[in-house]
Amino acid sequence: MTISKKAACNSHGQDSSYFLGWEEYEKNPFHESTNPNGIIQMGLAENQLSFDLLESWLAANPDAASFKRDGQSIFRELALFQDYHGLPIFKNALAQFMAEIRGNKVRFDPNNLVLTAGATSANETLIFCLADPGDAFLLPTPYYPGFDRDLKWRTGVEIVPIQCTSRNGFRITSPAVEEAYKLAQKRNLKVKGVLITNPSNPLGITLSRKELNLLLNFVEKKGIHLISDEIYSGTVFDSAEFVSIMELLPNRNNPQLMNRVHVVYSLSKDLGLPGFRVGSIYSNDRLVVAGATKMSSFGLISSQTQYLLSAILSDQVFAKKYVVENRMRLRNRHTVLVSGLRRVGISCLESNAGLFCWVDMRHLLSSDSLEAEMELWKKVVYDVGLNISPGSSCHCAEHGWFRVCFANMTEDTLDLAIRRIKSFVDSISPIKHCRNSRSKSISKWVSRLSFHDRECDR
Amino acid sequence: MLGSQEYILSKIASNDGHGENSAFFDGWKAYDADPYHPTKNPNGVIQMGLAENQLSFDLVEEWVRNNPMASICTPEGASQFKDIAIFQDYHGLPEFRNAVARFMEKVRGDRVRFDPDRIVMSGGATGAQETLTFCLADPGEALLVPTPYYPANDRDLTWRTGVELVPVICDSSNGFKMTRDGLEAAYKAALDSNTTVKGLLLNNPSNPLGTVLDREALSMALSFTNDKNIHLICDEIYSATVFDEPGFVSIAEILAESPDANPDLVHIVYSLSKDLGFPGFRVGILYSYNDAVVCCARKMSSFGLVSTQTQRMLASMLADEEFVGKFLAESAARLGARRAAMCQGLAQMGVGSLKGSAGLYCWMDLRRLLKAATFEAEMELWRVIVNDVRINVSPGASFHCAEPGWFRVCFANMDEETMRVALSRISKLVVQSKSGEARKQCRRRSKLEISLSFRRLEEIMMSPHSPMTSPLVRTMT
C-alpha cells in the first residue's frame, strides 16, 4: 500500500547538502583527544559559549531545579499540566525576557504569546494559520535551509525568493521584493506574506530600519502578513543595533497592519537550549493567537521545561547579566574567526550578530558555478576536515559563499579550524611542476588565487 | 471588519476543524466557573470528564526523590546539563528510546520485543496521530474508526491533514464490539462515495468503552486490513491501565504470530500520558513496522520532539526495572479497585455500566433516564447532570456514539472521598428521575441553558486539556 505523497516526496529538504554535510560529520566527528583528525562541525548554529552561567545559576537555585516551590514538591501539578495556554509564570517571564533583549523598547503581552515545541513548530504553525495549500510566502535569500521543510512540507505552501546579492551587502531592496511578488503571480501563486529572519541566518546581520520600513510599506500596501523570525535577537553583539519589527509598528498607526505582523522566537540560540524545544509565536491578532494556540496541541512544551525556564528567566538580575555576557562572548569569538580568515585572504560579510559568519570563498572557486561550489565544499569537508554550509543550500543567488559557525566549539578547536583553512589555502598557492591535466585545472585556479594573495598583501 | 480579518487567515485557522466549538465544552466551562472543593466549595462541579491517571503519583514522586541524578538540574545530575540541553537529534537520546521500548515490552508481559530504532517521538499522542496520518494518507482520503471514539480524533486526524474519518458503527447489542460486517459496511460506504480508504484506526484499550480487544478481534482487524491492503493503526495509549481479565493483547503480539500479514501496514501509537499520568511532559511515541514510515515520521518529529530534559528523566525512570514492575502492578491494582468501587456504587442505584477491564473511566448506561431515545434527550439529561447534579461527565454523542444514553465518567482523577460524593449526587438524580421530579427540572433548566449552548469559546481562557484551576495557574497568575 502506498504511503502518502508527503511521505514519498523530498520536500522535507533533507537531501540537501546542508544535511549531507551533517551526515559526513556524524561518520567522522572531530574530538580533540580521541579523533583529532576528524571533521570539525562548523555547520551547526549552536551557542555553547555561556553554559557555565546557566550551570552556576542552577547550582545556586536548587529548589527550582528539583520540582519544588517553597520547599514543596510540585511534581504532580507539573506532570498533569497540559493546558495549551502554557504556564502563566513562564509566559510572563518569556515576555519579559524578549523585552529585555530589545532594550525594553518593546513590550510583549504574555496573552499574545503562543508556546510551541521549538521555532520549527512555531514557523510551521504560523504558516498553517495564515496560508492555504498553494499559497506562497516571499523570503529573502539566502535563507535557513530548514525553512523548506518547516514552511512548505506539510502545509503545501510555496516559498518564492526575494533575491539579495553581494552587490549591496545582501540587503533587501524594493525592486527585489516587487520582482518576487511578480514572479509569484506569474506562477499563479497567491502571496500571503513575507517572512524575514532578523538577525539574518545565514548572513549574521541585523536588518536596517530602511529594510524593515520598506517591508512594512509593502505588506501594508498588499494587505498581507509579515513574519519576523527573531530567533537570533539575543546574539546581536551590540544591542543598540537590533531593531525589532515590533518597534516600528506603533509609529505606523495602523491597527490592521499591527495584526498582520507576527514574531517567532525560541530559546535555542540565545540561551543555547535547542534540546528543550522552546519556541513561541507572538501576534497581536487574537484570531491568530487563538488558532495557533489550538494547533500548539501538536507540539506543546514539556511542563517541567516550562517550569525550569520560568525560574531562570524570572530572575531578572540573572537574565540581564546573561544577555550582556553572552553578547560579549559571541562578539569576541566572531572576531577570532573573522581575523583568522582575513589573515589567509578570506573575507566575510561584515556582520554584527548570529552564531556564524557569511564567508566569501568566491575566489577559491574553479568557476562561477554550482558545480564549482560543490567541488570546493567537498574539498573543505573531506580534505580540510570542516563541515561548513554551502550557500546553495541556503538558496543564495551567488556561488562561492559559505556559512561558517563559530559558537559551537572551544576556542582551541576554532583555532585549529583556522589553521586547517590556512594550510588548505597555502597548499593551493603556486605549484611549479604540474604536468597532468588535473594539475592544469588546479594551476588555473592557483593563478587566480595567487593574484588575490598579492592583492591582500598590500 | 471581522469578515476581512477571517479572510486573511487560512481556511484551517478559520474553520471548526479543531472541534472546540462543540456544545460539550459547556461542561468544562461549568467546572471551571465553579470547581468542586471538599471544604472550600462543596457544592461545586465535580470534574469527571477528564481521563487522567492521578492514583499513583506517590510512587513516582518517591522515585524522583530517590534518584536526583535523573534530573539535569540537581547537583547530582548537573554535569549532564550541557550535553542534554544541546542535544536536538530527532532520533532522540538512545537511552530514552531503549527505555521506552523496554517499558512497552514490560507492559505486554515480555510477550513481544520492540526495536528501539523504530521508536519515533512526537508531541504527545496528539502529535503521533497527526504525524501518522500525514504519513499514510493524502487530503481527501479516509481512515475508518469504530464508534464510539475519542472526540479529539476529529481534530488530530483531520484538521490540518485534510483526511476524513469514516465511522464504523458499533452498538450495545453486542457490547459495542467491532464486527467484520461492520468494517465491510463502512468500507463500502466510503467506496460508494468515491472516498479512498487508507487505513483503520483502533483504540485498544478503548476510550471511552474501557474494554480491550481480544485476539479474535485483533486478528480479524489484521486480516481485514491485509485483504484491503490498507494500514492498521493501533492506539495503545491505555495499555498499562488494564487491571483485570481479559488482559491486554497488543497488535504487536498478533503480528508476531501472523507470518502472512504484511508488517508494512502496521503502526502503533503510544504515550506516557495515561499509563504513567504524565500528560504535561508531552511524551508521544509512534512505532511503525514500515521503514519508510519510520523515516518520514522521524523527519516530521522535528515539529514535536520531546524535551531532552524530559527524555533524560524518563530514560532513567523507565530503565529502573524494579520500579517499573512495582509501578505497573500497583497502578493497575489501584485502578481496578477504584473502578470496582465506582461501578458497584452505580450498580447499587440501578445504573449499569459496560463491563470492562481497562481505562480511567467507565461507560455508564443512563438510557432508562432519558425522556426519549434521542440525542436531544441525551443532551437534556447531560445538562441536568452538569448544572443540577453538578458533575461534568462526557455524553456519548461527543464520542459519536450511535445510541443515545451512554456517558463516559472518569474516576482516576480524584480522591476516593470525591468519588463517593459524586456517587451520592448521581444517586439523587436516579431517585429524582424515578419520581419524575427530574423531568420537570430538565425542562425548566434546559430553557435557561439553551442560550448558553452555542457560545464561542475563543474569548474564554480555557483549554480542553486541563482546567485553568490547576494550582500552577491559580497561584502564579
Side-chain angles (χ1 to χ4, degrees):
Chain A
M1 186 65 189
T2 52
I3 50 182
S4 68
K5 294 192 181 81
K6 284 183 183 71
C9 74
N10 64 356
S11 301
H12 49 73
Q14 287 187 216
D15 297 334
S16 106
S17 48
Y18 178 75
F19 293 101
L20 291 177
W22 282 53
E23 278 171 25
E24 288 311 310
Y25 163 77
E26 296 290 335
K27 289 181 203 160
N28 181 21
F30 168 80
H31 188 277
E32 52 205 13
S33 36
T34 58
N35 190 18
N37 295 321
I39 298 177
I40 298 176
Q41 174 63 287
M42 300 187 93
L44 189 52
E46 268 179 10
N47 181 359
Q48 295 188 25
L49 303 191
S50 304
F51 272 111
D52 57 315
L53 302 177
L54 291 171
E55 283 159 351
S56 49
W57 187 93
L58 287 171
N61 293 271
D63 252 22
S66 53
F67 295 130
K68 283 209 190 98
R69 194 185 61 234
D70 302 330
Q72 294 281 66
S73 168
I74 54 165
F75 179 87
R76 183 193 167 111
E77 285 89 344
L78 284 175
L80 293 173
F81 188 83
Q82 55 172 328
D83 182 352
Y84 59 21
H85 291 102
L87 211 50
I89 43 160
F90 177 54
K91 291 215 302 196
N92 291 343
L94 185 59
Q96 175 65 39
F97 186 67
M98 288 168 71
E100 176 66 44
I101 284 174
R102 289 155 184 73
N104 289 304
K105 289 178 273 182
V106 186
R107 225 201 110 251
F108 291 95
D109 178 354
N111 291 321
N112 290 348
L113 264 179
V114 179
L115 300 179
T116 61
T120 300
S121 179
N123 280 312
E124 190 197 43
T125 294
L126 255 186
I127 299 295
F128 265 125
C129 286
L130 304 179
D132 294 314
D135 288 344
F137 259 75
L138 309 182
L139 263 69
T141 63
Y143 63 75
Y144 165 55
F147 280 149
D148 290 321
R149 172 196 61 197
D150 301 349
L151 309 181
K152 292 171 33 169
W153 190 18
R154 308 190 306 179
T155 61
V157 169
E158 288 296 330
I159 294 177
V160 175
I162 299 170
Q163 301 293 12
C164 302
T165 69
S166 61
R167 275 193 298 274
N168 69 342
F170 294 95
R171 294 287 169 187
I172 302 166
T173 64
S174 269
V177 177
E178 295 286 352
E179 198 181 313
Y181 190 83
K182 281 200 195 79
L183 178 61
Q185 287 184 313
K186 231 190 268 174
R187 288 170 56 184
N188 266 326
L189 299 169
K190 183 161 179 212
V191 176
K192 275 314 211 13
V194 178
L195 187 147
I196 55 174
T197 308
N198 178 28
S200 162
N201 174 16
L203 301 174
I205 57 177
T206 52
L207 268 58
S208 62
R209 279 179 194 275
K210 183 172 165 198
E211 287 171 288
L212 294 172
N213 277 316
L214 82 84
L215 287 165
L216 284 172
N217 292 342
F218 180 76
V219 304
E220 191 172 25
K221 190 174 75 184
K222 299 289 189 208
I224 60 178
H225 297 274
L226 179 61
I227 300 173
S228 181
D229 183 342
E230 301 190 350
I231 193 181
Y232 289 98
S233 46
T235 68
V236 182
F237 311 145
D238 180 345
S239 62
E241 294 178 11
F242 178 56
V243 179
S244 166
I245 196 77
M246 285 295 171
E247 242 183 274
L248 302 179
L249 277 178
N251 296 341
R252 292 262 165 172
N253 230 348
N254 181 345
Q256 281 175 3
L257 177 64
M258 198 132 200
N259 283 354
R260 295 203 307 271
V261 176
H262 322 280
V263 169
V264 165
Y265 187 56
S266 157
L267 297 181
S268 299
K269 309 296 178 185
D270 292 349
L271 284 183
L273 307 172
F276 290 174
R277 315 314 301 147
V278 182
S280 69
I281 296 168
Y282 187 88
S283 177
N284 291 307
D285 185 329
R286 282 305 168 111
L287 290 178
V288 171
V289 171
T293 300
K294 291 178 177 72
M295 284 190 193
S296 69
S297 298
F298 299 110
L300 298 172
I301 302 177
S302 171
S303 58
Q304 64 170 151
T305 300
Q306 290 189 50
Y307 183 70
L308 171 65
L309 290 168
S310 69
I312 296 176
L313 297 181
S314 300
D315 183 345
Q316 291 185 26
V317 167
F318 170 77
K320 270 190 176 59
K321 186 182 107 180
Y322 179 95
V323 167
V324 166
E325 179 67 24
N326 181 48
R327 275 185 190 131
M328 189 189 72
R329 294 181 186 188
L330 288 170
R331 181 175 52 231
N332 293 343
R333 192 57 82 81
H334 167 266
T335 303
V336 168
L337 179 59
V338 169
S339 52
L341 289 174
R342 193 184 305 125
R343 278 195 293 275
V344 297
I346 297 175
S347 64
C348 301
L349 180 72
E350 200 177 312
S351 64
N352 62 344
L355 310 173
F356 34 74
C357 290
W358 189 235
V359 180
D360 186 354
M361 305 227 255
R362 288 176 292 173
H363 59 294
L364 299 178
L365 293 184
S366 57
S367 65
D368 180 12
S369 66
L370 176 61
E371 291 72 32
E373 182 179 286
M374 285 294 104
E375 197 190 310
L376 176 58
W377 175 66
K378 281 184 192 139
K379 270 202 178 59
V380 173
V381 172
Y382 295 111
D383 299 349
V384 185
L386 306 176
N387 178 33
I388 60 178
S389 309
S392 50
S393 69
C394 302
H395 302 277
C396 186
E398 297 174 11
H399 308 296
W401 292 88
F402 291 79
R403 189 191 77 170
V404 179
C405 300
F406 55 70
N408 62 310
M409 63 194 69
T410 63
E411 196 156 340
D412 286 345
T413 307
L414 183 59
D415 288 338
L416 172 61
I418 294 170
R419 284 198 300 277
R420 286 186 186 181
I421 294 173
K422 181 177 192 309
S423 305
F424 171 65
V425 169
D426 288 346
S427 74
I428 53 181
S429 57
I431 297 165
K432 284 175 187 160
H433 306 289
C434 312
R435 292 192 193 284
N436 59 33
S437 58
R438 189 157 174 261
S439 56
K440 275 196 196 123
S441 65
I442 288 176
S443 45
K444 256 191 240 160
W445 182 354
V446 156
S447 59
R448 279 174 69 194
L449 244 192
S450 56
F451 174 81
H452 177 86
D453 277 346
R454 283 198 296 274
E455 282 199 340
C456 289
D457 285 344
R458 284 200 209 109
Chain B
M1 291 316 289
L2 195 62
S4 64
Q5 280 283 69
E6 283 191 11
Y7 166 72
I8 221 140
L9 299 185
S10 66
K11 295 192 179 76
I12 289 175
S14 312
N15 71 21
D16 284 344
H18 47 73
E20 291 180 31
N21 288 341
S22 139
F24 306 115
F25 279 84
D26 281 355
W28 287 83
K29 206 173 48 177
Y31 169 75
D32 279 347
D34 187 19
Y36 169 83
H37 187 277
T39 47
K40 296 182 198 157
N41 191 17
N43 294 320
V45 176
I46 299 177
Q47 174 63 283
M48 299 188 95
L50 189 54
E52 270 180 6
N53 183 357
Q54 296 188 22
L55 302 190
S56 303
F57 270 116
D58 56 319
L59 302 175
V60 177
E61 278 167 330
E62 188 192 349
W63 189 92
V64 168
R65 263 196 314 273
N66 295 336
N67 292 272
M69 268 210 70
S71 165
I72 50 172
C73 309
T74 55
E76 294 85 346
S79 59
Q80 295 284 299
F81 182 83
K82 178 176 160 160
D83 288 339
I84 295 295
I86 58 177
F87 187 87
Q88 56 175 328
D89 182 346
Y90 60 23
H91 290 85
L93 291 172
E95 60 263 34
F96 173 71
R97 273 186 290 123
N98 291 339
V100 168
R102 189 73 199 103
F103 181 71
M104 288 171 70
E105 288 169 357
K106 269 208 108 62
V107 169
R108 289 149 185 76
D110 287 316
R111 295 184 297 272
V112 75
R113 293 260 79 83
F114 285 103
D115 177 359
D117 289 338
R118 292 189 173 283
I119 299 241
V120 177
M121 294 181 287
S122 61
T126 301
Q129 297 267 59
E130 192 196 43
T131 292
L132 200 45
T133 306
F134 269 125
C135 287
L136 302 180
D138 293 314
E141 296 180 334
L143 295 175
L144 302 179
V145 191
T147 67
Y149 64 73
Y150 167 56
N153 276 340
D154 292 319
R155 174 196 63 194
D156 300 349
L157 305 171
T158 78
W159 189 23
R160 305 192 304 180
T161 60
V163 167
E164 291 172 23
L165 293 189
V166 173
V168 179
I169 309 293
C170 303
D171 61 52
S172 61
S173 61
N174 69 343
F176 294 95
K177 287 191 171 59
M178 185 181 62
T179 62
R180 181 81 189 221
D181 285 346
L183 289 171
E184 294 284 359
Y187 186 83
K188 183 172 183 305
L191 278 193
D192 289 346
S193 64
N194 275 325
T195 302
T196 307
V197 173
K198 270 321 222 347
L200 167 65
L201 170 69
L202 299 181
N203 184 211
N204 175 34
S206 162
N207 174 16
L209 301 175
T211 54
V212 296
L213 291 173
D214 58 24
R215 305 190 83 87
E216 203 188 309
L218 288 167
S219 301
M220 186 267 288
L222 189 59
S223 129
F224 170 78
T225 49
N226 267 257
D227 288 349
K228 303 283 191 262
N229 203 19
I230 63 177
H231 294 276
L232 179 58
I233 305 163
C234 285
D235 177 357
E236 300 189 343
I237 195 180
Y238 289 97
S239 47
T241 68
V242 179
F243 45 78
D244 200 354
E245 290 304 314
F248 177 59
V249 178
S250 166
I251 192 67
E253 295 172 61
I254 305 298
L255 185 62
E257 294 158 10
S258 313
D260 294 335
N262 181 0
D264 279 347
L265 296 176
V266 181
H267 323 274
I268 297 175
V269 166
Y270 187 55
S271 158
L272 300 182
S273 299
K274 309 296 180 184
D275 289 350
L276 284 176
F278 294 161
F281 296 161
R282 312 315 302 151
V283 183
I285 300 292
L286 204 158
Y287 189 94
S288 176
Y289 293 91
N290 180 320
D291 292 345
V293 171
V294 169
C295 194
C296 178
R298 187 160 281 135
K299 293 181 173 73
M300 287 188 182
S301 69
S302 297
F303 299 112
L305 295 171
V306 176
S307 167
T308 46
Q309 175 190 17
T310 299
Q311 287 187 48
R312 175 84 186 85
M313 182 185 72
L314 292 170
S316 209
M317 192 186 291
L318 300 182
D320 184 342
E321 300 209 357
E322 198 192 315
F323 165 76
V324 165
K326 185 175 114 184
F327 179 91
L328 290 176
E330 185 61 28
S331 175
R334 293 181 188 185
L335 287 170
R338 184 60 73 85
R339 184 190 156 109
M342 181 80 203
C343 293
Q344 273 159 27
L346 290 173
Q348 271 160 20
M349 51 181 105
V351 173
S353 51
L354 187 71
K355 190 162 163 15
S357 58
L360 310 174
Y361 34 74
C362 26
W363 190 233
M364 190 170 59
D365 182 357
L366 295 183
R367 284 177 294 174
R368 62 185 186 82
L369 295 189
L370 294 184
K371 266 169 44 183
T374 64
F375 286 106
E376 288 73 28
E378 180 184 278
M379 179 72 112
E380 238 183 88
L381 176 58
W382 177 62
R383 293 205 183 285
V384 167
I385 296 174
V386 172
N387 298 312
D388 292 356
V389 184
R390 320 288 289 150
I391 300 178
N392 182 32
V393 295
S394 311
S398 65
F399 296 91
H400 301 276
C401 186
E403 294 172 32
W406 293 87
F407 292 78
R408 188 192 76 171
V409 58
C410 300
F411 53 69
N413 62 313
M414 63 192 65
D415 58 33
E416 263 181 59
E417 186 49 40
T418 306
M419 190 185 69
R420 274 194 280 274
V421 172
L423 282 169
S424 76
R425 290 184 185 181
I426 297 173
S427 150
K428 289 201 190 88
L429 166 73
V430 172
V431 164
Q432 282 168 357
S433 162
K434 281 179 183 158
S435 72
E437 179 65 22
R439 287 198 192 96
K440 288 188 199 145
Q441 271 189 345
C442 256
R443 273 183 228 119
R444 272 205 298 274
R445 267 293 182 175
S446 56
K447 275 185 199 146
L448 279 171
E449 299 313 325
I450 277 166
S451 58
L452 291 174
S453 62
F454 298 111
R455 221 186 295 173
R456 292 178 73 83
L457 289 172
E458 276 91 317
E459 308 313 317
I460 299 159
M461 287 286 283
M462 207 191 80
S463 155
H465 296 289
S466 79
M468 291 296 279
T469 48
S470 160
L472 294 171
V473 173
R474 264 205 313 269
T475 60
M476 295 177 189
T477 9

